[in-house]
Amino acid sequence: MRLYDTATRGLRELPPPPGPIGMYVCGPTVYGRAHVGNARPFVIGMWLRSWLRLRGYEATLVHNLTDINDKIYAAAPGRSAELAEQASAWYFEDTGDLGLGRPDHEPKASETIPEIVALIEELVERGVAYPAGGDVYYRVSRFPEYGVLSRRLGEASLRNPSEEEEPSALKQDPRDFALWKAHKEGEDTWWDSPWGRGRPGWHIECSAMAEKFLGPVFEIHGGGLDLVFPHHENEIAQSRGAGREFARRWMHNGMLRFVGEKMSKSLGNVVSLREALDTWGRETLLVYFLGGHWRKPLDYSDEVLEQAAAQAESFRNVFRQSSEPIGEWEPFATALEDDFNTPEALAVMHGWRDHDLLRRGLEVFGLESLAASEAAPAELEKLARKRAEARERRDFDEADRLREQIEGAGWVIRDVEAEPGFQLVPKR
Ligand SMILES: [Zn+2]
């Protein structure tokens, strides 16, 4: 099994089963409903764990929630803790509805304060960090490897400062970053520390949470490509600066693009995971994610989602017909062993007509429910066809009436491009 590693810019073999394989995948900062792009690292982490376990690995997935962060204080002045709590509940609910189960550990920064403070104390003792005016900063000049992951060495590491790193007169070097921040007027949460009341910086939270659950060295650290610098560069500086080996390889997933632009809250071009689930259903959404290689950007548009819906439907159709001994496991496994190539694995599964084999393949991705697909009753199919005809002659009143009748019977109509132009799915 080999995976692309950002640190070495090449494919690297995993140790042989049973490993163990510890995986730490950075989760979202919780200050609103997660956007559909936030689901990608979650989905990839859960699928990879599922595949590794099938291969005989002992795999553990840690996926954190950043519930202390400048963005949260800014989003809800005076009530950041309440917002973080609410947004965490939304995240559990929305990712839960993907039907992939849960990671092994889902730590929150606010529940890891003693470990965070202890790690900062160690860094200060080693001279790699220094307190200044109630803050504590990491001394980048003491870590010669700084910039190796992102290949931003020397001057380049000054560009694109972290969105949460404001310049501070207390820093000895502009590259230095905050491990601990003194409590500021208006912030509703703080913790006591050897440096006074305050709260942790974003990067140290992940160094501490990863070590708490996976120990000082583990195989895979994942997260979105936008986290390479400075977040992951700083995690490496902190953990290696404290003498830990830390992550052995780095797996960065490509971003979701909404009409060609990176999807992000700050750009405002955001579709929430909730909205995506409600519009398309979990099966279509998962097939959509399968269709993109984890390292590449993935476009999000109605058209691409329509195609995913049609693909999900074609799997259901295989189970509506009789099983034929067509298909082999091997090319499917080969695709996944080679940098976890899910689009290739998806293409292989489309060739399968053997029900047991297809069910086993779909199960790796939480899609075994496609095997249990029931065909809609014939009379509803007939109503749906009548509705399509009504729409064609632009009799929208009649079309709406038929849709309501179908929904009343517990089924939802989705318009798709593939013949016959609609799809009937049971109401969830
Ligand atoms: Zn992180």
Side-chain angles (χ1 to χ4, degrees):
M1 174 88 197
R2 52 188 204 154
L3 290 169
Y4 184 86
D5 169 28
T6 311
T8 54
R9 304 292 196 274
L11 293 164
R12 282 178 60 206
E13 286 290 329
L14 280 183
I21 307 289
M23 296 190 273
Y24 185 89
V25 175
C26 284
T29 297
V30 279
Y31 62 109
R33 208 114 206 177
H35 64 73
V36 64
N38 290 139
R40 201 177 191 197
F42 176 89
V43 168
I44 292 163
M46 293 300 288
W47 282 345
L48 184 59
R49 184 184 72 173
S50 152
W51 175 248
L52 290 174
R53 285 182 177 170
L54 192 69
R55 286 276 280 95
Y57 280 104
E58 228 173 79
T60 304
L61 176 61
V62 182
H63 185 58
N64 71 289
L65 291 182
T66 295
D67 65 343
I68 310 170
N69 187 291
D70 287 310
K71 283 182 185 169
I72 313 173
Y73 289 117
R79 41 171 288 274
S80 77
E82 201 184 309
L83 176 65
E85 180 87 30
Q86 173 65 73
S88 303
W90 283 331
Y91 188 70
F92 290 135
E93 183 189 329
D94 298 347
T95 51
D97 286 349
L98 288 165
L100 297 174
R102 298 308 313 171
D104 299 278
H105 305 282
E106 296 179 274
K108 293 178 174 177
S110 63
E111 294 164 356
T112 321
I113 300 293
E115 291 85 352
I116 293 170
V117 168
L119 186 55
I120 299 174
E121 277 187 291
E122 245 186 277
L123 289 166
V124 171
E125 273 161 33
R126 284 169 169 257
V128 190
Y130 55 93
D135 296 346
V136 180
Y137 293 95
Y138 189 91
R139 185 176 274 133
V140 171
S141 64
R142 286 290 298 274
F143 188 70
E145 275 181 71
Y146 194 78
V148 166
L149 177 73
S150 57
R151 310 224 165 151
R152 286 167 187 263
L153 299 162
E155 282 299 299
S157 62
L158 286 171
R159 273 181 246 130
N160 184 20
S162 160
E163 41 200 320
E164 70 164 21
E165 288 300 331
E166 59 274 23
S168 163
L170 299 169
K171 290 184 191 179
Q172 295 173 355
D173 179 326
R175 294 178 302 168
D176 293 353
F177 56 91
L179 302 176
W180 186 263
K181 298 181 179 190
H183 177 249
K184 286 189 200 72
E185 186 78 37
E187 291 178 355
D188 60 315
T189 52
W190 63 81
W191 291 265
D192 288 320
S193 81
W195 317 284
R197 272 184 175 180
R199 40 98 180 188
W202 172 34
H203 318 297
I204 195 76
E205 298 174 356
C206 281
S207 278
M209 287 188 274
E211 182 170 343
K212 181 174 180 180
F213 294 98
L214 297 173
V217 55
F218 54 94
E219 291 298 330
I220 300 172
H221 194 315
L225 200 52
D226 56 343
L227 297 182
V228 177
F229 186 89
H231 187 49
H232 290 161
E233 198 71 72
N234 290 355
E235 281 187 41
I236 291 176
Q238 293 158 170
S239 296
R240 298 224 170 123
R244 277 67 152 169
E245 186 181 338
F246 204 51
R248 289 213 167 109
R249 70 198 77 225
W250 292 82
M251 212 176 151
H252 289 105
N253 65 268
M255 310 306 288
L256 247 59
R257 293 185 307 199
F258 192 63
V259 287
E261 292 250 18
K262 173 191 147 185
M263 190 184 289
S264 81
K265 280 210 179 93
S266 46
L267 291 175
N269 55 358
V270 162
V271 174
S272 71
L273 173 56
R274 183 73 266 152
E275 219 176 316
L277 280 163
D278 289 346
T279 310
W280 300 101
R282 58 174 285 278
E283 290 166 338
T284 292
L285 204 52
L286 291 176
V287 171
Y288 159 72
F289 279 122
L290 271 182
H293 191 284
W294 63 272
R295 271 204 276 145
K296 309 253 164 69
L298 184 57
D299 285 327
Y300 188 93
S301 67
D302 283 354
E303 204 188 343
V304 184
L305 269 294
E306 293 277 4
Q307 286 164 9
Q311 289 194 65
E313 186 59 12
S314 80
F315 284 126
R316 286 188 203 100
N317 281 332
V318 172
F319 293 99
R320 285 173 188 142
Q321 289 148 18
S322 52
S323 181
E324 287 179 70
I326 299 174
E328 276 177 60
W329 183 257
E330 176 123 10
F332 172 81
T334 305
L336 294 178
E337 300 285 278
D338 187 15
D339 202 20
F340 206 56
N341 191 337
T342 60
E344 180 64 33
L346 179 66
V348 171
M349 285 195 293
H350 275 303
W352 291 350
R353 295 291 172 271
D354 177 328
H355 289 189
D356 287 339
L357 187 65
L358 184 54
R359 191 178 292 109
R360 261 173 73 206
L362 291 169
E363 216 174 282
V364 173
F365 308 110
L367 282 167
E368 62 275 22
S369 53
L370 292 172
S373 66
E374 39 174 333
E379 66 186 279
L380 292 184
E381 289 272 355
K382 212 157 119 194
L383 289 180
R385 218 163 291 131
K386 274 171 118 179
R387 174 181 167 271
E389 286 160 16
R391 276 164 61 94
E392 224 151 84
R393 56 172 196 270
R394 309 188 67 77
D395 184 353
F396 296 113
D397 287 345
E398 174 69 356
D400 283 348
R401 194 188 63 74
L402 288 162
R403 182 175 47 80
E404 276 164 29
Q405 198 179 339
I406 291 164
E407 284 184 1
W411 290 74
V412 179
I413 291 200
R414 290 219 186 96
D415 297 306
V416 295
E417 279 190 19
E419 284 297 313
F422 61 82
Q423 192 185 318
L424 279 171
V425 292
K427 231 181 193 170
R428 275 174 205 86

